[in-house]
Amino acid sequence: MAKGNLKLYNTLTRSKETFEPLTPGKVNMYVCGPTVYDFIHIGNARPVIFFDVVRRYLGWIGYEVKYVVNFTDVDDKLIRKSEQSNMTVPEIAERFIAAYYEDLDALGIERATIHPRVTENIPEIRDVYFRTAKFPEYGKLSHQNLEELQFGIRVEVDERKESPQDFVLWKAAKPGEIHWPSPWGDGRPGWHIECSAMVRKYLGDTLDIHGGGQDLQFPHHECEVAQSECLSGKPLAKYWMHNGYIHINDQKMSKSLGNGINVKELLKLIKPETLRFFMLSTHYRNPVNFTDDAVEQANNGLERLNNCVANLKHRLDSLPVEGAEGQSGEGALSDDSDVVEAAIAVNRTFFEDKMNDDFNTADAITAMFELVSIANPYLSKTDARKATLERLLAAFAELDGILGILKGEQNELLDEDIERLIIERTEARKSKNWSRADEIRDLLTEQGIFLEDTPQGIRWRRK
C-alpha cells in the first residue's frame, strides 16, 4: 500500500494534510472513551464506529497501530448515580463497562490496544486549578477567543476560580465521596486531566492522532492541549480529528431535548450492521441525521450487498465437482474472468483513493456496490468458474475487513420443522401443487425465513 497517499483533515490547522506519523511505520492514536455511568447512545456510537474504521484502514495500508480508548470511571455523574442507587461508584462503572463491551461486540468494533481506566491511573494525575491565562495559545485547537467566552457555556462556573476559563485538575472530596489522597488533600481528578495523564503514560508526550466527537473540541480537548503542552513543552498531538454531530429527525441530539437514543435499545429494533452502515454512509466530519427513512435506506442498501455475497457463496457451493464436464475448475481463466479480475483491481484502487481522501467512508461504500455490479452479470453465466467466484468473494471480504458492514457467516442451522417445510415445498412444486408451495413460503416468511428459487436450487436467508 502507498502510505504516503493518505490525507486527513487536521482540526488544529483547519486544513487537509498529508499524514506523516512521528515514527515511520507506526501510529499512536488516542480517542476519548465513554463516561461509564449509563448505556451509550448513538452519539457515542458514531466515534466508536468511525475510529474503528480509521484504525483498521491504517493497519491495512501497513502501519503498526497502538490504539488507546479510555474509560472515565469516576466523576460527578458516577457519584450522583451512586447516591441515587444502592451501588458504589466502582460497581456502577463495572456494570456499564460490561454493557459498553457488549455494544462494541454487537457493532463489530475491535478492541483497542489498551482500554485504561481513570481509577487505575490516579498517581499520574496531580494539581488543583489550571490558569488558562498562563498558556498564551489557549484556544488554538477550537479557535476560541478567551475574551469572548461567556460564563456557563461549556465552562464550569466556580467562585474559587480566578477566571471563568480556568479549569479544575483536582477536586476536593465531599464527605462520603470516593476519593484518593494527594498533597492538596483527599479528592479525585478533574475530567480534563484524566486523558492527558493516560495519553502521556501509554503513548508518550506527543500523539500522531487524537480523536473524538466535535463536542469535545472545547473545552475538553482545548484543556488537554493546555495542561499537556505546558508540562512537556511539546505538541500534544500532530493531528486532531473530530466527527460531526448526530441529529435526530432534523434536531440536534441533546439532553435538554431528551431525544437521545440508547444503542442497546436501538439494536433491538435494527440490525447492528445497519447502524454501522448508516453511520459510515455520511462523511465523518458532516452531521448525520437519524430518521426512520434513513435507517430503512441503509438497511435496503446493506441487504443488497449481503444478497450478492450470499448468491456468490451459493453459486460456488452448487458448482459441479472439480473435473466434471463443463467445469474447468482451476484451469486457465476465460476472457470473462479476466474482465472481472481487471474490474476488481480498478474498484480496489477507487476504494483506496476514497479512504486516502480523509477517510471518505461514504464513497468507499460505493466501491462495495460496484462489486455487486461486477458480480451480478457474472453470476448469470452458466460457465461461472470457481476461481473467479472466490476472487469476487475475496474482494468483498477485503473491503469489508475495513468497513465491517456485512453480516458474518450464516452458521445458524434451520430447525427440523423448517427443514421439513422446505423439503415439502420442493416436493409440492415438483407435483405442481402451487397453492401448497405458496402456503409454505408464506409460513416461512412469517418466521423470518426467506426463500429464493435459483437455477442452482433453493437458497434461504433470514430477515
Side-chain angles (χ1 to χ4, degrees):
M1 305 296 171
K3 297 178 184 177
N5 292 336
L6 175 60
K7 297 182 183 298
L8 56 83
Y9 183 85
N10 190 348
T11 306
L12 182 64
T13 62
R14 296 296 197 269
S15 64
K16 198 178 292 185
E17 302 176 8
T18 299
F19 179 66
E20 297 177 350
L22 299 167
T23 303
K26 297 185 178 182
V27 176
N28 282 345
M29 184 167 73
Y30 184 94
V31 174
C32 293
T35 301
V36 286
Y37 72 102
D38 206 341
F39 300 110
I40 63 170
H41 53 67
I42 61 171
N44 306 127
R46 189 176 192 190
V48 165
I49 292 170
F50 170 67
F51 285 106
D52 176 63
V53 172
V54 171
R55 185 258 196 102
R56 291 183 188 209
Y57 186 72
L58 290 170
W60 189 67
I61 61 176
Y63 287 110
E64 179 185 335
V65 183
K66 188 173 183 180
Y67 181 36
V68 177
V69 179
N70 73 297
F71 289 120
T72 297
D73 60 344
V74 59
D75 84 333
D76 291 341
K77 296 184 182 71
L78 281 100
I79 290 172
R80 283 196 295 269
K81 192 101 172 182
S82 176
E83 293 170 348
Q84 297 164 2
S85 67
N86 293 322
M87 300 173 68
T88 65
V89 167
E91 288 171 341
I92 292 168
E94 287 297 331
R95 175 190 176 190
F96 290 111
I97 287 174
Y100 174 80
Y101 281 136
E102 288 176 1
D103 290 338
L104 257 60
D105 291 342
L107 293 169
I109 307 297
E110 297 178 357
R111 293 285 194 274
T113 312
I114 306 171
H115 280 286
R117 306 186 187 195
V118 172
T119 56
E120 296 171 342
N121 293 277
I122 296 297
E124 285 75 27
I125 302 170
R126 288 290 180 265
D127 216 328
V128 185
Y129 277 92
F130 186 96
R131 293 185 177 94
T132 54
K134 293 294 185 180
F135 184 63
E137 294 183 284
Y138 189 76
K140 68 178 180 179
L141 176 65
S142 58
H143 291 236
Q144 295 275 1
N145 187 320
L146 281 181
E147 296 179 356
E148 296 174 356
L149 290 176
Q150 300 176 20
F151 286 39
I153 300 179
R154 296 287 302 184
V155 175
E156 184 182 0
V157 176
D158 192 318
E159 62 183 11
R160 292 168 294 180
K161 297 180 180 182
E162 293 181 2
S163 168
Q165 292 83 36
D166 294 347
F167 55 90
V168 65
L169 301 179
W170 186 262
K171 303 185 74 168
K174 297 176 182 177
E177 285 185 349
I178 186 171
H179 61 269
W180 289 263
S182 83
W184 309 278
D186 291 346
R188 64 184 188 280
W191 177 32
H192 311 308
I193 193 65
E194 299 168 356
C195 287
S196 287
M198 288 183 280
V199 164
R200 195 160 192 254
K201 177 177 180 179
Y202 295 104
L203 298 173
D205 289 329
T206 303
L207 296 163
D208 291 302
I209 297 174
H210 195 319
Q214 186 176 340
D215 59 310
L216 296 181
Q217 278 188 47
F218 185 85
H220 184 50
H221 287 165
E222 196 70 71
C223 294
E224 279 189 62
V225 169
Q227 61 203 7
S228 295
E229 296 187 6
C230 278
L231 175 64
S232 70
K234 303 173 184 177
L236 174 57
K238 188 173 182 180
Y239 304 96
W240 288 84
M241 299 179 68
H242 294 91
N243 64 268
Y245 290 108
I246 296 281
H247 291 176
I248 309 294
N249 295 318
D250 299 311
Q251 288 186 311
K252 183 179 173 181
M253 191 180 75
S254 67
K255 292 181 180 178
S256 60
L257 293 174
N259 60 351
I261 301 176
N262 181 310
V263 169
K264 199 167 294 295
E265 293 301 317
L266 180 62
L267 294 184
K268 295 178 181 178
L269 304 175
I270 68 173
K271 292 177 286 191
E273 56 266 29
T274 298
L275 179 58
R276 187 170 176 122
F277 181 101
F278 168 77
M279 291 293 187
L280 296 176
S281 60
T282 298
H283 191 280
Y284 78 93
R285 286 193 285 115
N286 295 332
V288 61
N289 190 29
F290 188 90
T291 67
D292 289 342
D293 287 344
V295 171
E296 183 63 23
Q297 289 175 15
N299 193 63
N300 292 340
L302 189 58
E303 187 170 352
R304 184 182 173 209
L305 295 176
N306 281 319
N307 283 344
C308 182
V309 171
N311 287 334
L312 286 167
K313 292 177 179 177
H314 181 67
R315 184 66 185 277
L316 187 62
D317 291 341
S318 64
L319 285 178
V321 296
E322 187 174 340
E325 184 179 354
Q327 170 61 24
S328 55
E330 300 297 333
L333 296 180
S334 67
D335 290 341
D336 285 342
S337 294
D338 289 338
V339 169
V340 169
E341 184 64 40
I344 290 173
V346 170
N347 188 61
R348 187 179 187 274
T349 298
F350 173 85
F351 175 87
E352 190 173 355
D353 287 345
K354 296 304 179 182
M355 289 298 290
N356 278 341
D357 184 13
D358 195 27
F359 300 99
N360 191 339
T361 57
D363 283 354
I365 288 175
T366 302
M368 298 282 278
F369 285 106
E370 182 59 27
L371 283 178
V372 175
S373 299
I374 296 169
N376 282 343
Y378 191 77
L379 281 166
S380 67
K381 296 183 177 298
T382 58
D383 60 345
R385 294 170 178 268
K386 179 175 184 289
T388 305
L389 293 170
E390 289 176 337
R391 181 69 186 91
L392 284 162
L393 284 170
F396 273 107
E398 182 179 32
L399 303 193
D400 191 58
I402 298 161
L403 297 175
I405 56 178
L406 299 180
K407 66 182 179 182
E409 291 288 332
Q410 179 62 275
N411 295 320
E412 188 174 8
L413 297 176
L414 294 170
D415 61 36
E416 293 182 359
D417 289 337
I418 295 177
E419 287 179 342
R420 176 182 55 76
L421 287 170
I422 290 177
I423 294 172
E424 183 182 347
R425 180 176 179 273
T426 301
E427 294 301 319
R429 287 172 60 84
K430 287 181 180 178
S431 61
K432 298 184 178 181
N433 186 352
W434 308 119
S435 60
R436 178 55 180 163
D438 290 343
E439 181 182 351
I440 293 173
R441 185 186 188 108
D442 292 343
L443 178 61
L444 291 173
T445 299
E446 290 175 2
Q447 297 187 37
I449 303 295
F450 291 80
L451 305 181
E452 294 182 17
D453 297 306
T454 74
Q456 292 77 36
I458 295 176
R459 185 175 73 83
W460 67 271
R461 60 183 173 85
R462 292 189 182 275
K463 183 176 180 181

